Amino acid sequence: MRSPRPYSPQGGPGAQSLNERRKAATQLDIARAACELFAEHGPDGTTAEDIAHRAGVALRTFYRYFRNKQEAVAPLLAGGGDAWRALLAEEDPGTPLTEALERAVTRSLTAPQAVEEGLEVTRVLLRAATTDEALRAVWYRVNQDSEERLVPVLARLAGPEAEPLAVRLLAAAATDAIRISLELWSTTDTPPSAPGSPSELAVRCLRDLTGAMPLMR
Protein backbone atom coordinates (compact mmCIF):
# COMPACT_ATOMS: atom_id res chain seq x y z
CA MET A 1 0.00 0.00 0.00
CA ARG A 2 1.40 3.36 -0.98
CA SER A 3 1.29 6.29 1.40
CA PRO A 4 0.32 9.95 0.93
CA ARG A 5 2.58 12.95 0.54
CA PRO A 6 5.35 13.44 3.10
CA TYR A 7 4.16 14.88 6.37
CA SER A 8 5.67 18.19 7.45
CA PRO A 9 4.91 19.03 11.08
CA GLN A 10 3.48 22.51 11.46
CA GLY A 11 6.05 24.68 13.20
CA GLY A 12 6.93 28.29 13.44
CA PRO A 13 7.64 30.65 10.55
CA GLY A 14 10.48 29.96 8.18
CA ALA A 15 11.77 26.91 6.42
CA GLN A 16 12.61 23.73 8.30
CA SER A 17 16.23 23.08 9.11
CA LEU A 18 18.00 20.05 7.69
CA ASN A 19 17.72 18.32 11.07
CA GLU A 20 13.99 19.00 11.23
CA ARG A 21 13.52 17.61 7.73
CA ARG A 22 15.42 14.46 8.67
CA LYS A 23 13.26 14.01 11.76
CA ALA A 24 10.11 14.48 9.70
CA ALA A 25 11.34 11.93 7.14
CA THR A 26 12.04 9.39 9.89
CA GLN A 27 8.61 9.99 11.40
CA LEU A 28 7.03 9.43 8.01
CA ASP A 29 8.96 6.20 7.45
CA ILE A 30 7.73 4.91 10.80
CA ALA A 31 4.17 6.03 10.05
CA ARG A 32 4.17 4.24 6.70
CA ALA A 33 5.48 1.06 8.31
CA ALA A 34 2.79 1.23 11.00
CA CYS A 35 0.05 1.76 8.45
CA GLU A 36 1.24 -1.18 6.34
CA LEU A 37 1.33 -3.47 9.36
CA PHE A 38 -2.07 -2.32 10.61
CA ALA A 39 -3.49 -3.12 7.18
CA GLU A 40 -1.87 -6.56 7.21
CA HIS A 41 -2.37 -7.61 10.82
CA GLY A 42 -4.52 -5.00 12.54
CA PRO A 43 -3.36 -2.90 15.50
CA ASP A 44 -3.76 -5.85 17.90
CA GLY A 45 -1.49 -7.99 15.76
CA THR A 46 1.21 -5.33 15.48
CA THR A 47 3.83 -4.32 18.04
CA ALA A 48 6.09 -1.30 18.27
CA GLU A 49 8.98 -3.68 17.65
CA ASP A 50 7.32 -4.83 14.42
CA ILE A 51 6.94 -1.24 13.26
CA ALA A 52 10.51 -0.30 14.09
CA HIS A 53 11.80 -3.37 12.25
CA ARG A 54 9.67 -2.63 9.17
CA ALA A 55 10.80 1.02 9.17
CA GLY A 56 14.46 0.02 9.58
CA VAL A 57 15.01 1.96 12.80
CA ALA A 58 15.95 1.02 16.35
CA LEU A 59 13.14 0.59 18.87
CA ARG A 60 14.53 3.49 20.90
CA THR A 61 14.24 5.66 17.78
CA PHE A 62 10.57 4.68 17.50
CA TYR A 63 9.96 5.76 21.11
CA ARG A 64 11.87 8.99 20.55
CA TYR A 65 9.05 10.11 18.26
CA PHE A 66 5.97 8.19 19.38
CA ARG A 67 4.65 7.01 22.73
CA ASN A 68 2.85 3.98 21.33
CA LYS A 69 2.07 2.13 18.11
CA GLN A 70 -1.21 3.95 17.48
CA GLU A 71 0.42 7.38 17.66
CA ALA A 72 2.83 6.30 14.93
CA VAL A 73 0.18 6.81 12.22
CA ALA A 74 -0.61 10.42 13.26
CA PRO A 75 1.61 11.95 10.52
CA LEU A 76 -0.41 10.13 7.84
CA LEU A 77 -3.76 11.10 9.35
CA ALA A 78 -2.62 14.72 9.69
CA GLY A 79 -1.40 15.04 6.11
CA GLY A 80 -4.83 15.62 4.60
CA GLY A 81 -5.63 18.42 7.02
CA ASP A 82 -2.28 20.06 6.35
CA ALA A 83 -3.03 19.97 2.63
CA TRP A 84 -6.50 21.46 2.80
CA ARG A 85 -5.48 24.27 5.18
CA ALA A 86 -2.65 25.16 2.80
CA LEU A 87 -5.11 25.35 -0.10
CA LEU A 88 -7.49 27.48 1.96
CA ALA A 89 -4.62 29.81 2.87
CA GLU A 90 -4.12 30.49 -0.84
CA GLU A 91 -7.53 32.18 -1.04
CA ASP A 92 -7.61 35.98 -1.05
CA PRO A 93 -9.06 37.83 1.96
CA GLY A 94 -12.56 38.96 1.15
CA THR A 95 -13.37 35.87 -0.92
CA PRO A 96 -16.81 34.63 0.19
CA LEU A 97 -16.07 32.02 2.83
CA THR A 98 -18.57 29.56 1.38
CA GLU A 99 -16.71 29.58 -1.93
CA ALA A 100 -13.26 29.47 -0.33
CA LEU A 101 -14.06 26.57 1.99
CA GLU A 102 -15.85 24.45 -0.59
CA ARG A 103 -13.13 25.04 -3.16
CA ALA A 104 -10.33 24.10 -0.75
CA VAL A 105 -12.16 21.01 0.51
CA THR A 106 -12.94 19.81 -3.00
CA ARG A 107 -9.42 20.43 -4.26
CA SER A 108 -7.80 18.64 -1.33
CA LEU A 109 -10.06 15.58 -1.58
CA THR A 110 -9.90 15.24 -5.36
CA ALA A 111 -6.19 15.90 -5.94
CA PRO A 112 -4.64 12.96 -7.84
CA GLN A 113 -2.34 11.97 -5.01
CA ALA A 114 -5.16 12.11 -2.46
CA VAL A 115 -7.42 9.99 -4.64
CA GLU A 116 -4.74 7.43 -5.50
CA GLU A 117 -3.04 7.14 -2.13
CA GLY A 118 -4.07 9.27 0.83
CA LEU A 119 -7.76 8.46 1.01
CA GLU A 120 -7.26 4.71 0.87
CA VAL A 121 -4.71 4.94 3.67
CA THR A 122 -7.19 6.95 5.71
CA ARG A 123 -9.93 4.39 5.06
CA VAL A 124 -7.71 1.57 6.31
CA LEU A 125 -6.85 3.46 9.49
CA LEU A 126 -10.40 4.59 10.21
CA ARG A 127 -11.68 1.06 9.84
CA ALA A 128 -9.04 -0.13 12.29
CA ALA A 129 -9.98 2.70 14.66
CA THR A 130 -13.54 1.40 15.04
CA THR A 131 -12.23 -1.39 17.27
CA ASP A 132 -9.13 0.30 18.68
CA GLU A 133 -9.82 3.01 21.23
CA ALA A 134 -6.24 4.32 21.27
CA LEU A 135 -6.18 4.69 17.48
CA ARG A 136 -9.53 6.45 17.60
CA ALA A 137 -8.11 8.87 20.17
CA VAL A 138 -5.24 9.67 17.79
CA TRP A 139 -7.75 10.44 15.03
CA TYR A 140 -9.70 12.80 17.29
CA ARG A 141 -6.53 14.52 18.47
CA VAL A 142 -5.37 15.04 14.88
CA ASN A 143 -8.71 16.67 14.09
CA GLN A 144 -8.51 18.87 17.19
CA ASP A 145 -5.04 20.03 16.18
CA SER A 146 -6.26 20.72 12.66
CA GLU A 147 -9.18 22.77 13.99
CA GLU A 148 -6.88 24.92 16.12
CA ARG A 149 -4.56 25.55 13.16
CA LEU A 150 -7.53 26.44 10.99
CA VAL A 151 -8.62 29.35 13.19
CA PRO A 152 -5.94 31.88 12.07
CA VAL A 153 -6.45 30.89 8.42
CA LEU A 154 -10.17 31.62 8.67
CA ALA A 155 -9.59 34.79 10.69
CA ARG A 156 -7.41 36.19 7.91
CA LEU A 157 -10.02 35.37 5.26
CA ALA A 158 -12.93 36.68 7.32
CA GLY A 159 -11.22 40.00 8.05
CA PRO A 160 -10.59 42.01 11.23
CA GLU A 161 -14.29 42.69 11.80
CA ALA A 162 -15.12 39.02 12.24
CA GLU A 163 -16.11 38.03 15.77
CA PRO A 164 -13.60 35.56 17.27
CA LEU A 165 -16.43 33.32 18.46
CA ALA A 166 -17.86 33.13 14.95
CA VAL A 167 -14.45 32.20 13.55
CA ARG A 168 -13.98 29.48 16.18
CA LEU A 169 -17.41 28.02 15.47
CA LEU A 170 -16.72 27.97 11.75
CA ALA A 171 -13.37 26.25 12.29
CA ALA A 172 -15.06 23.58 14.39
CA ALA A 173 -17.85 23.03 11.87
CA ALA A 174 -15.52 22.87 8.88
CA THR A 175 -13.23 20.40 10.61
CA ASP A 176 -16.16 18.22 11.64
CA ALA A 177 -17.57 18.31 8.12
CA ILE A 178 -14.43 16.69 6.76
CA ARG A 179 -14.08 14.31 9.70
CA ILE A 180 -17.65 13.05 9.43
CA SER A 181 -17.45 12.65 5.66
CA LEU A 182 -14.28 10.56 5.92
CA GLU A 183 -15.69 8.43 8.72
CA LEU A 184 -18.89 7.70 6.79
CA TRP A 185 -17.03 7.01 3.55
CA SER A 186 -14.60 4.66 5.29
CA THR A 187 -17.48 2.34 6.19
CA THR A 188 -18.19 1.79 2.48
CA ASP A 189 -16.29 0.45 -0.49
CA THR A 190 -17.07 3.54 -2.58
CA PRO A 191 -14.12 4.61 -4.78
CA PRO A 192 -12.58 7.97 -3.84
CA SER A 193 -13.90 9.69 -6.97
CA ALA A 194 -17.33 8.04 -7.35
CA PRO A 195 -20.72 9.38 -6.23
CA GLY A 196 -20.67 9.33 -2.44
CA SER A 197 -16.97 10.22 -2.45
CA PRO A 198 -15.35 12.09 0.47
CA SER A 199 -15.36 15.37 -1.47
CA GLU A 200 -19.07 15.08 -2.23
CA LEU A 201 -19.93 14.15 1.35
CA ALA A 202 -17.68 16.87 2.78
CA VAL A 203 -19.35 19.65 0.76
CA ARG A 204 -22.78 18.40 1.81
CA CYS A 205 -21.73 18.28 5.48
CA LEU A 206 -20.13 21.70 5.20
CA ARG A 207 -23.31 23.26 3.81
CA ASP A 208 -25.53 21.62 6.42
CA LEU A 209 -23.27 22.57 9.35
CA THR A 210 -22.42 26.14 8.33
CA GLY A 211 -25.37 27.33 6.26
CA ALA A 212 -26.93 29.37 9.08
CA MET A 213 -23.68 30.88 10.36
CA PRO A 214 -23.41 34.68 9.98
CA LEU A 215 -19.92 34.46 8.48
CA MET A 216 -21.25 32.32 5.64
CA ARG A 217 -24.00 34.71 4.61
Side-chain angles (χ1 to χ4, degrees):
M1 178 174 55
R2 299 163 67 198
S3 301
R5 65 180 60 81
Y7 171 63
S8 297
Q10 298 293 311
Q16 286 184 311
S17 68
L18 178 59
N19 190 47
E20 288 171 333
R21 292 197 299 272
R22 286 174 175 168
K23 288 181 178 179
T26 300
Q27 287 178 313
L28 183 61
D29 287 341
I30 294 171
R32 284 172 170 161
C35 187
E36 290 171 0
L37 288 166
F38 286 179
E40 295 169 11
H41 308 292
D44 286 343
T46 301
T47 66
E49 290 86 348
D50 295 332
I51 296 170
H53 179 73
R54 177 70 66 92
V57 300
L59 185 59
R60 65 176 179 274
T61 300
F62 175 93
Y63 282 117
R64 185 181 305 153
Y65 296 115
F66 305 106
R67 290 184 296 179
N68 56 52
K69 60 187 178 181
Q70 289 88 353
E71 284 196 357
V73 301
L76 295 181
L77 290 174
D82 291 345
W84 99 267
R85 289 194 310 277
L87 289 170
L88 186 61
E90 293 177 0
E91 298 283 344
D92 294 327
T95 301
L97 285 171
T98 299
E99 295 179 16
L101 283 165
E102 290 187 10
R103 184 160 44 238
V105 167
T106 300
R107 288 176 65 195
S108 67
L109 293 174
T110 58
Q113 192 166 18
V115 170
E116 294 170 8
E117 303 174 3
L119 290 174
E120 291 297 349
V121 169
T122 300
R123 174 148 55 187
V124 167
L125 294 175
L126 289 182
R127 286 180 174 179
T130 61
T131 57
D132 190 294
E133 184 177 343
L135 184 56
R136 194 158 58 249
V138 171
W139 169 241
Y140 291 148
R141 193 195 74 224
V142 163
N143 278 273
Q144 179 63 39
D145 290 345
S146 184
E147 177 186 322
E148 292 174 1
R149 291 169 179 165
L150 180 60
V151 170
V153 178
L154 289 175
R156 183 185 70 86
L157 293 176
E161 302 301 320
E163 184 185 11
L165 175 60
V167 175
R168 287 295 304 271
L169 288 174
L170 181 56
T175 302
D176 277 348
I178 298 176
R179 177 183 62 79
I180 291 168
S181 68
L182 289 170
E183 290 174 352
L184 288 174
W185 174 75
S186 73
T187 66
T188 75
D189 293 321
T190 303
S193 56
S197 66
S199 61
E200 182 180 287
L201 291 172
V203 169
R204 178 181 173 185
C205 289
L206 191 62
R207 290 173 179 174
D208 287 347
L209 288 172
T210 67
M213 289 186 174
L215 283 179
M216 301 295 276
R217 295 172 188 163

